[in-house]
Each structure stands twice: as structure tokens, then as C-alpha cells.
Amino acid sequence: MKKKFIISGDQAISWRCFTLFIFSLMISANVVNGDSLETDKEALLNLKAVLEEHNRVNRGIYSEWNVDKSISPCQWQGISCSSSSVVGQQRVIGINLSENNISGKIFHNFSALTNLQHLDLSSNTIGGAVPDDLNQCKSLVYLNLSHNILGGNLVFKGLNRLEKLDLSTNRFNGDIKVSFPGICQNLIVANLSTNNFTGEIDSCFDECWNLMHLDLSSNNFSGSLWSGFSRLVGFSVSENSISGVVSGSMFADNCSLHDLDLSENKFHGELPGEISNCRDLVILNVGGNNFTGPIPSELGSISSIAALFLGDNRFSSSIPESLLNLTNLEFLDVSKHSFGGEIQKIFGRFKQVKFLLLHGNAYTGGIDTSGILKLQNISRLDLSNNRFSGSLPVEISQMPSLNFLMLSNNQFTGSIPPEYGNFSQLQTLDLSFNRLSGSIPPKLGKLNSLLWLMLANNSLSGEIPSEIGNCTSLLWLNLANNQLSGRIPPELAKIGRSATRTFELNRLRNDTIIAGSGECSAMMRWIPADYPPFSFVYTILTRKSCRSIWDRLLKGYGLFPVCTAGSTVRTLQISGYLQLSGNQFSGSIPSDIGTMQNFSMLHLGFNDFSGELPAQIGQLPLVVLNITRNQFSGQIPAEIGNIKCLQNLDLSYNNFSGIFPTSFSNLTDLTKFNISYNRYISGVVPTTAQFGTFEKDSYLGNPLLDVPDFMDNKTDHLPNHNDR
Ligand SMILES: *[C@@H]1O[C@H](CO)[C@@H](O)[C@H](O)[C@H]1NC(C)=O
Ligand SMILES: *[C@@H]1O[C@H](CO)[C@@H](O)[C@H](O)[C@H]1NC(C)=O
Ligand SMILES: *[C@@H]1O[C@H](CO)[C@@H](O)[C@H](O)[C@H]1NC(C)=O
Ligand SMILES: *[C@@H]1O[C@H](CO)[C@@H](O)[C@H](O)[C@H]1NC(C)=O
Ligand SMILES: *[C@@H]1O[C@H](CO)[C@@H](O)[C@H](O)[C@H]1NC(C)=O
Ligand SMILES: *[C@@H]1O[C@H](CO)[C@@H](O)[C@H](O)[C@H]1NC(C)=O
Ligand SMILES: *[C@@H]1O[C@H](CO)[C@@H](O)[C@H](O)[C@H]1NC(C)=O
Ligand SMILES: *[C@@H]1O[C@H](CO)[C@@H](O)[C@H](O)[C@H]1NC(C)=O
Ligand SMILES: *[C@@H]1O[C@H](CO)[C@@H](O)[C@H](O)[C@H]1NC(C)=O
Ligand SMILES: *[C@@H]1O[C@H](CO)[C@@H](O)[C@H](O)[C@H]1NC(C)=O
């Protein structure tokens, strides 16, 4: 089961086989042109010199080439040679310089290596256009230029031996017709994903008879769909502007597809039943189009289907009974369809499903009538963004496999059932944006796998139970905009201290985190967009990046750039937040807060906190500290100056007094600062570094504070080029 989700690129011809094959061709070539390992060596040294010229620091493995003159180029790192029993008849056939910090343009003389078959320059920052010289590398079988910043039009010609071509994640643009079908003859894998290609694809690949995997996703291709795709094993045009209908005739009788991704385009009309000709289909994604009519009942005959993404279309609401036959179906997404009324009863019969995604419909009433709460294997249940009402069903707590429960943005009322503390494996409890009242049940403290507890924007009241401190995995706690009150229990400082166990579990159970629907919107609720270090995520949010960010988050691989207090060295970590703003919390902040680990944002704004801010706050690895609109008093702890990666600091609307801490001049990363309306603050604001950049409205209502000159005065001093 697990295996089926992995696209098997290995179905392509094995490296060893063709090495042998090419080698036999090669020997004859050698004799003709007089090239040898000596001329290969000369070319490689030339390559080394050019790379060193363009990369003066952080050089890669090539800088070791020929340092020891007695070593043959065949032993140099990143170089591979043909095997030969006759010394001197070996030739360089492969160069792998992936991830070698290479910038600059592509070397213009790879063709001097006349037997080069395998060239991997992926994951560098190589820019410019592809030089015509590469077209002279007629022996190339494998070319990987992915994850660089290459641009311009694609003009590949004559590379007739090419089997694997990966150009993904670059800046190529324009039409692909010059290169395809020109270089198609032996092509097995082509990945053009994530570029700026435009134009039509319709007949480009007609003559690529050996092609098995074609990924055209995340470009700007338009026009209609290429009708020959059903003879491939994997085909993706996701995230383009391809339009028109998908006709039944496109699915040949002997359709060999395992993975078909037509998502996020502009297809309309019905999804043809002939799709069932693809008997080996494992993943079908048609989400994010404008398909209408019924969900084809023929899908029920494709017994291999494991994931069915139908979301964000306009299919009619009846779900065919035949889908119940899909015994391998694990992932069912029928989100964003504006289905109204009660949830379709049939969903309660998908006993095998692990991921049921029905967010973004308009379901009303309760959830329980459908029977989905009795499904034993559900791991992720996303019913967010609907109109469910009534009280939260207690039965949910009896779903033994539930990891992710998303019920946000509905109209649930009443209190959170204490039984929700019984989910032994729960990682996400997202009940935000409902109308829940009552207090937070202390039993939630039993959720020791919980990573996210999202209860924002409800009407919850009472205190935070100290038991929440037992949630040792809890890294993201959002209780904003409720009516919670009382003091922060010192035990809260213990949350999120050891999420590792949960992350490790997620790394092991590779198949349980399949992404592909709703992650973007979930992460927008969960990751506070306005705040670094989280905000960067929004600049790279595409559907695809949502999947990989989601995956990294759940597996605990570093994602957010943070540094420990006192240090300026940022490392990528999984970093949490405590968001308590917009409540009625009071009392002072326990000094235990300094023992919190892994938290980079603390938002306590719009509450009634009072007393002094504990100096221990300077021990947190914070990027954001927002305590606006409270009653904090006394000195501002100078220790805040120790949080060198702090970017946002909002102390406005409090009652701080004493001298403005001179240590703040250490906050060299501060980009947002507000100390307005602390009328007893005195002293002098530094004018150096970041403090030269803030404007008047960072210091409103501070009569005793000596503030710098501001930009509106400074502009008068700027030289005016029109003078004279
Ligand atoms: C390419 O390299 C070969 C030998 O390594 C050399 O003879 C030739 O002049 C080079 N061509 C260019 C355009 O640099
Ligand atoms: C190309 O290189 C990237 C990054 O090194 C790798 O992930 C990808 O699998 C390679 N593509 C192919 C077709 O081998
Ligand atoms: C194509 O490349 C992209 C980005 O490098 C990658 O995410 C995708 O999985 C690749 N497609 C295939 C079919 O390997
Ligand atoms: C599929 O069928 C077509 C036409 O019936 C035939 O030309 C083609 O060779 C078949 N493909 C495979 C992979 O069997
Ligand atoms: C979907 O189709 C309907 C009518 O068929 C049209 O009104 C609507 O604009 C289309 N939506 C998109 C996003 O293309
Ligand atoms: C539920 O999952 C278990 C373990 O993966 C599997 O053995 C069982 O058959 C599944 N139940 C159904 C009804 O598919
Ligand atoms: C969340 O609550 C705050 C404060 O009550 C309110 O201003 C905001 O509009 C709410 N957000 C939504 C999306 O309901
Ligand atoms: C602090 O939080 C308030 C309320 O969320 C927000 O309006 C303000 O911009 C924040 N301050 C900073 C510096 O980000
Ligand atoms: C604010 O601080 C001043 C000076 O420390 C103090 O006299 C005053 O009582 C405080 N006001 C409140 C509301 O705490
Ligand atoms: C600082 O806070 C005050 C009061 O909320 C606000 O008027 C001002 O615009 C804020 N300044 C900045 C730079 O955000």
C-alpha cells in the first residue's frame, strides 16, 4: 500500500544497462576522433578553472580535482568513467556537481567531453540561458538542471539519446515547441515543472513514444490538453491554464497511467467514464477545475485507486455507490463543492478511508447522522468551513485512528467535551472560529501527541487549566479572541518541550501524512501570517509548497529561521508560538516563562496583564514579542536586548516607567517597534542601527522620552538632483 504513493522513476532503464550499451558505441567513436582520457582531463580542468573564477568562496568538490596530480580524473569526486580493462581507454562519462554552491552561467565547453552521458548540475544557483554547446553533447542520456535559476527559451536540438531530462524549478519561459518533439526519441522522463513556460502543449509529445513520466506542472501552459497522455505512467499538468473538455477518447483502452494530475486548471464539462480504462490508476487528481455533472460511477471499477482528489469543482452532490468498492481508497477529497444540507450518508460507509476531506462545503446540521463518526480508520477528518451547528459530537472521541481533527469555521455551540482528551494520537485539534463557550477541559492535558491546539475566536471563558502544561508536544497554541481570564499557570511553560516523539512517529509512518487538500488553508490558520519567522511561508505558498511545508512541519524538519537568545546565528528549526491575545487574562507573567523552549512568538496583547515583565523573558528565542494593551508596569527588562533575533517588539499601551533600556541598541534585526503610550518612560532612544529607521508613530504619547529626528524632517536634507 505504502509503496503505491511513490512515483517509481526506477521503471526507467537502469543506469548500468545503458552504460554498457553506450560503451560499445563509444569505443568506435574513440578511434575516429582521437579523443582520450587526457583530453577529458584537460576539459575538466578547464571547467574547474571557470567554476573557480565564478565562485570565489564556498567552493564545491571540484576544487579538489587534480590537487593530487597522481590521481586519475576517474577518481575525482563527482566524476565517473566508463569501465575498461585497457588502461587509457577509459573515458569520462558522468559529471555530478549537484549541490555544489555553483553560481554563474553554465560552462560553455561541456562538448569537449565527447563521451559525456550523465550531467547533473541540479540544486545550485546557475543562471543565464542554456548554451548551444550543450546541444553538441550528443551522448547525453541524463541531464539534470533542476533547482537553479536558469532562464530564457528552451532550444534543445539533436540530443537524441536523452532518456531523463529534469529542468524543474528554474525560470525558463516561452514555448517548448522548438525542443519537443525534437529531442523525444529516447526520452523516458521529462520534468519541466515549476518554470514560466507558456503556449500550448497539444502535440509536443506525440512522437515521444518512450515517454513514461511527464511533469508539466506549475507553469503557464494554456490551450487544450494533449490527447496522448494515457499511454504514460505518470502525467501532471497541475497548476496551469489548460482549458476545454477532457474527452472520453483521450483514455485509450490500454491506458497505463498510475498517476494522473489535472488539478488547478480550467477544464470544464463532465469527467468521462472512460477514465476507468486506466486500470492501474493509483492517484487521480482533478481538483480545482470546473468539472460538472456526476462523479463518474465508473471510477468504482479502478480497484487500484488509493487517492481521489475531486475537490473544488462543481460535481453534483450524489456520490456513486460504486466508489464503496474501492478497497484501496485511502484519500477521498470532495472539498469545496458548496454541497448543502446534511452530509451525504454514503460517507459513513467508506470504511477503508483514512483521509476524508469535506471542508469548504455548506453542510448544515450535525455530523453524527452520516455515520462518519463510526469510521475506524480515519486519520484526518477535515470538516472546516461548513455550516455545521449544534454541540460538538462526543462520539468523535471514539475514532481510534484520528490524528487531525479540523472543525474550524463552523457554527458549533456549547462546550468542548472533556472526552476530547481521550484521543491518544491526536496531533491537531482545530476548533477555532466557532461559537463554543464554557471552559477549556483540563482533560485536554492528556493529549501528549498534540502539536496544534487551535481554539481562537470562540467564546471560551474561565482559566487555562494547568494540566495543559502536560501537552509536551504542543508547539502551536492559539487561544486568541475568547473571554478567557485569570492568570497564566506557570505549568504552561512546559508545553512543547519534547515534540520529538510525535515528529519521529510521523517520520516513521510515511504514508499517514499524504497531503494534497486543505493544507494551505489549514496552515494559514495555524501559521500567523503577519509575523516572522512564519510570514516567509506565505511568500512561497503554492499548492505544491503547501504539501512540502506541511510534510516538513509534521515531521519536525527545520523550517523557520530562529536563533537562541544571545546569539545571532539563525538555524532552521521547528518553532512554536503562544497566542493569547484578545482575552481578559490578568496578573503577572510567571518567571517560569524563561524556561520555555522552541517558542519564537509570544503574543499577549489586548489583555489585563499587570506587574513587571519578568527579566527571564530575555532567555526566550523570540522573533516576535507583542504585549500591547496591557497594564504592565515598572522597568522594561534590559534583558530583552539579549534577544538578538527579535524582529517585532510591541510594548505600546502599557504603564512602563523608568529609563529606556540602552541594551535595545543590540536589537539589530528589529523591523517593527512600538513603545507608544507608556507615559512614564524616560531616557534617550538610540539613533544607531535599527533605531535610525523607526518613525514618529513608534513613539506616540511618550512625553518624557527623548526620541530621534524623524524621516519627515530628514527628507529636507536629501540632495535634490533637479537643483542647479
Ligand atoms: C573547448 O575545450 C577544448 C579542449 O579542452 C579546446 O580545444 C577548445 O578550444 C575549447 N573550446 C572553447 C570554445 O573554449
Ligand atoms: C534531479 O536532481 C534533483 C535534485 O538533486 C533530484 O531531486 C531529482 O530526482 C533529479 N531528477 C531526476 C530525473 O533524476
Ligand atoms: C518534477 O520536479 C518537481 C520539482 O523539482 C518535483 O516536485 C516533482 O516530483 C518532479 N516530478 C516527477 C514526476 O518526478
Ligand atoms: C495501446 O493501443 C494502441 C492502439 O490500440 C496501440 O497502438 C499501442 O501500441 C498500445 N500500447 C501499449 C502500451 O500496449
Ligand atoms: C465554470 O463554468 C461556469 C459555467 O459553465 C462559468 O460561469 C464559470 O465562470 C466557470 N468558472 C471558472 C472558474 O472558470
Ligand atoms: C483499517 O486499517 C487496518 C490497518 O491499516 C487494516 O488492517 C483494516 O483492514 C482497515 N479497515 C478497513 C475497514 O479497511
Ligand atoms: C476574531 O475575533 C476578533 C475579536 O473578537 C474579531 O475582531 C475578528 O473579526 C474575528 N475574526 C473572524 C474571522 O471572525
Ligand atoms: C501587536 O498585535 C496587535 C494586535 O494583534 C497588532 O495590531 C500590532 O500590529 C502588533 N504589533 C506589531 C509590532 O506587530
Ligand atoms: C502607572 O505607573 C505610574 C508610575 O510608576 C504609577 O504611579 C501609576 O499608579 C501606574 N498606573 C497604573 C494604572 O498602574
Ligand atoms: C504604535 O501603536 C499605536 C497605538 O496602537 C499606533 O497608533 C501606532 O500607529 C503604532 N505604530 C506603529 C509603528 O505601528
Side-chain angles (χ1 to χ4, degrees):
M1 219 33 272
K2 209 188 253 183
K3 232 181 173 168
K4 288 189 177 162
F5 286 103
I6 300 163
I7 297 164
S8 44
D10 290 338
Q11 275 150 333
I13 277 184
S14 103
W15 169 239
R16 271 167 226 275
C17 284
F18 69 70
T19 302
L20 273 179
F21 166 69
I22 299 289
F23 179 58
S24 53
L25 291 178
M26 204 181 65
I27 289 178
S28 48
N30 265 348
V31 179
V32 179
N33 59 24
D35 291 332
S36 65
L37 191 57
E38 260 322 293
T39 61
D40 287 346
K41 181 176 176 181
E42 198 181 312
L44 287 176
L45 288 176
N46 201 343
L47 169 62
K48 172 179 169 167
V50 171
L51 290 176
E52 289 189 336
E53 187 187 327
H54 289 109
N55 300 273
R56 303 209 170 255
V57 287
N58 280 334
R59 285 174 176 162
I61 50 175
Y62 54 85
S63 60
E64 299 297 312
W65 292 351
N66 208 32
V67 168
D68 182 343
K69 302 243 175 340
S70 66
I71 293 180
S72 146
C74 297
Q75 259 77 59
W76 295 353
Q77 273 197 73
I79 302 300
S80 50
C81 288
S82 55
S83 51
S84 168
S85 50
V86 186
V87 182
Q89 278 191 3
Q90 280 189 315
R91 294 293 309 275
V92 169
I93 57 167
I95 301 179
N96 182 351
L97 289 173
S98 177
E99 279 186 83
N100 270 269
N101 299 313
I102 300 171
S103 49
K105 295 188 167 180
I106 295 191
F107 179 56
H108 277 67
N109 204 355
F110 278 115
S111 62
L113 295 147
T114 49
N115 280 319
L116 191 62
Q117 296 164 26
H118 186 107
L119 180 58
D120 188 347
L121 301 175
S122 63
S123 304
N124 286 293
T125 44
I126 302 172
V130 172
D132 186 49
D133 173 72
L134 266 193
N135 285 324
Q136 310 310 315
C137 300
K138 307 272 189 218
S139 306
L140 274 181
V141 173
Y142 177 99
L143 179 60
N144 195 342
L145 302 176
S146 70
H147 299 275
N148 278 292
I149 51 172
L150 292 159
N153 287 354
L154 211 57
V155 276
F156 281 125
K157 290 193 293 279
L159 299 177
N160 289 333
R161 298 212 181 122
L162 211 52
E163 294 177 2
K164 289 191 180 180
L165 175 65
D166 194 343
L167 303 175
S168 64
T169 317
N170 275 290
R171 299 172 183 172
F172 290 113
N173 56 38
D175 213 285
I176 57 171
K177 286 191 164 33
V178 179
S179 311
F180 300 97
I183 56 166
C184 256
Q185 218 168 316
N186 287 297
L187 209 56
I188 298 169
V189 177
N191 194 342
L192 308 186
S193 169
T194 321
N195 279 287
N196 300 318
F197 288 119
T198 52
E200 305 200 356
I201 54 168
D202 56 351
S203 59
C204 291
F205 302 96
D206 277 350
E207 291 159 42
C208 306
W209 295 110
N210 293 306
L211 200 56
M212 292 173 80
H213 297 275
L214 178 59
D215 191 343
L216 303 174
S217 61
S218 306
N219 280 290
N220 297 315
F221 288 116
S222 55
S224 51
L225 186 60
W226 171 48
S227 59
F229 66 84
S230 80
R231 65 165 188 261
L232 306 186
V233 174
F235 179 63
S236 173
V237 285
S238 173
E239 293 192 309
N240 280 286
S241 296
I242 303 195
S243 55
V245 294
V246 177
S247 75
S249 62
M250 291 178 179
F251 296 93
D253 289 345
N254 52 6
C255 166
S256 49
L257 285 165
H258 285 200
D259 188 352
L260 176 60
D261 192 346
L262 304 177
S263 65
E264 309 292 328
N265 278 286
K266 295 180 175 164
F267 296 114
H268 67 264
E270 297 198 3
L271 189 63
E274 284 85 346
I275 200 163
S276 62
N277 290 344
C278 308
R279 284 176 210 88
D280 298 324
L281 207 54
V282 179
I283 304 176
L284 174 64
N285 192 343
V286 299
N289 281 290
N290 206 357
F291 286 114
T292 50
I295 294 170
S297 63
E298 289 87 343
L299 287 175
S301 68
I302 313 177
S303 61
S304 49
I305 283 201
L308 204 45
F309 297 82
L310 305 171
D312 199 8
N313 279 295
R314 298 193 299 132
F315 287 118
S316 50
S317 67
S318 93
I319 310 293
E321 289 266 326
S322 65
L323 298 192
L324 295 169
N325 301 336
L326 299 174
T327 52
N328 291 311
L329 191 66
E330 295 192 349
F331 196 109
L332 181 57
D333 173 8
V334 202
S335 62
K336 296 194 188 170
H337 264 86
S338 315
F339 292 151
E342 299 235 316
I343 195 165
Q344 294 95 315
K345 290 226 162 44
I346 190 170
F347 286 117
R349 293 160 64 198
F350 283 97
K351 300 242 182 310
Q352 68 282 28
V353 161
K354 292 185 178 168
F355 302 80
L356 185 57
L357 308 174
L358 299 174
H359 54 91
N361 281 297
Y363 293 125
T364 54
I367 313 171
D368 30 359
T369 53
S370 65
I372 58 173
L373 304 184
K374 298 205 168 64
L375 296 175
Q376 297 293 297
N377 277 8
I378 296 246
S379 158
R380 173 144 48 114
L381 182 60
D382 190 346
L383 301 176
S384 57
N385 289 296
N386 277 289
R387 294 183 201 146
F388 290 113
S389 57
S391 50
L392 290 172
V394 175
E395 296 92 313
I396 285 191
S397 61
Q398 280 151 28
M399 298 175 78
S401 312
L402 208 56
N403 289 141
F404 305 94
L405 178 59
M406 287 117 116
L407 301 177
S408 66
N409 293 85
N410 279 291
Q411 293 157 21
F412 287 112
T413 52
S415 54
I416 302 173
E419 289 84 352
Y420 281 22
N422 297 340
F423 292 109
S424 55
Q425 305 178 35
L426 202 66
Q427 297 189 16
T428 295
L429 181 58
D430 187 352
L431 305 175
S432 49
F433 299 95
N434 276 290
R435 297 172 187 170
L436 301 171
S437 55
S439 54
I440 300 175
K443 285 231 166 78
L444 294 190
K446 294 200 297 178
L447 298 173
N448 58 15
S449 298
L450 201 62
L451 294 168
W452 278 279
L453 181 56
M454 303 281 114
L455 302 177
N457 279 67
N458 280 290
S459 302
L460 299 170
S461 57
E463 303 194 2
I464 299 180
S466 60
E467 287 83 351
I468 293 294
N470 298 333
C471 296
T472 47
S473 283
L474 186 57
L475 279 170
W476 294 281
L477 176 57
N478 191 345
L479 304 178
N481 301 322
N482 279 288
Q483 281 132 43
L484 296 162
S485 59
R487 291 166 177 264
I488 295 189
E491 291 84 356
L492 197 63
K494 293 191 299 179
I495 62 171
R497 198 159 285 185
S498 55
T500 321
R501 198 187 54 90
T502 307
F503 291 144
E504 275 173 358
L505 223 65
N506 287 339
R507 288 177 201 179
L508 284 177
R509 296 182 309 184
N510 223 345
D511 63 335
T512 61
I513 315 176
I514 307 163
S517 174
E519 293 81 19
C520 285
S521 48
M523 285 193 298
M524 290 198 193
R525 282 196 305 278
W526 300 350
I527 300 177
D530 303 340
Y531 296 101
F534 307 105
S535 46
F536 91 93
V537 167
Y538 286 81
T539 62
I540 57 168
L541 269 195
T542 61
R543 210 176 45 83
K544 203 175 266 179
S545 67
C546 281
R547 292 190 198 188
S548 64
I549 293 172
W550 169 262
D551 198 61
R552 288 190 75 90
L553 274 179
L554 294 178
K555 291 181 180 165
Y557 295 122
L559 194 57
F560 307 110
V562 291
C563 56
T564 53
S567 161
T568 53
V569 181
R570 284 195 168 79
T571 54
L572 291 182
Q573 290 175 26
I574 288 294
S575 185
Y577 59 75
L578 184 58
Q579 165 52 294
L580 303 180
S581 70
N583 281 287
Q584 290 142 31
F585 290 114
S586 58
S588 54
I589 305 295
S591 60
D592 301 63
I593 196 144
T595 65
M596 287 188 94
Q597 291 160 14
N598 312 317
F599 285 77
S600 61
M601 175 176 128
L602 200 54
H603 199 327
L604 307 176
F606 292 85
N607 277 292
D608 289 317
F609 289 113
S610 58
E612 297 201 2
L613 197 59
Q616 285 83 351
I617 210 152
Q619 295 161 15
L620 291 172
L622 292 179
V623 180
V624 175
L625 176 59
N626 194 335
I627 58 168
T628 184
R629 306 235 179 203
N630 281 288
Q631 323 268 355
F632 287 109
S633 58
Q635 294 266 356
I636 298 172
E639 288 79 0
I640 290 177
N642 194 35
I643 313 175
K644 298 210 175 100
C645 286
L646 199 62
Q647 292 184 43
N648 284 14
L649 178 58
D650 197 337
L651 305 170
S652 62
Y653 278 106
N654 278 289
N655 194 27
F656 285 114
S657 55
I659 307 283
F660 187 93
T662 50
S663 65
F664 277 17
S665 59
N666 295 334
L667 299 175
T668 51
D669 281 343
L670 206 58
T671 51
K672 282 190 178 174
F673 177 65
N674 205 339
I675 195 170
S676 298
Y677 303 106
N678 284 281
R679 50 190 298 229
Y680 298 105
I681 282 285
S682 57
V684 182
V685 175
T687 51
T688 50
Q690 285 310 98
F691 283 89
T693 67
F694 302 122
E695 308 220 11
K696 214 186 310 188
D697 60 356
S698 292
Y699 308 100
L700 305 173
N702 304 127
L704 306 179
L705 192 62
D706 189 352
V707 297
D709 283 345
F710 293 108
M711 279 309 275
D712 44 342
N713 303 331
K714 283 179 193 161
T715 47
D716 295 343
H717 306 297
L718 289 176
N720 184 338
H721 295 289
N722 294 331
D723 285 359
R724 275 186 264 177

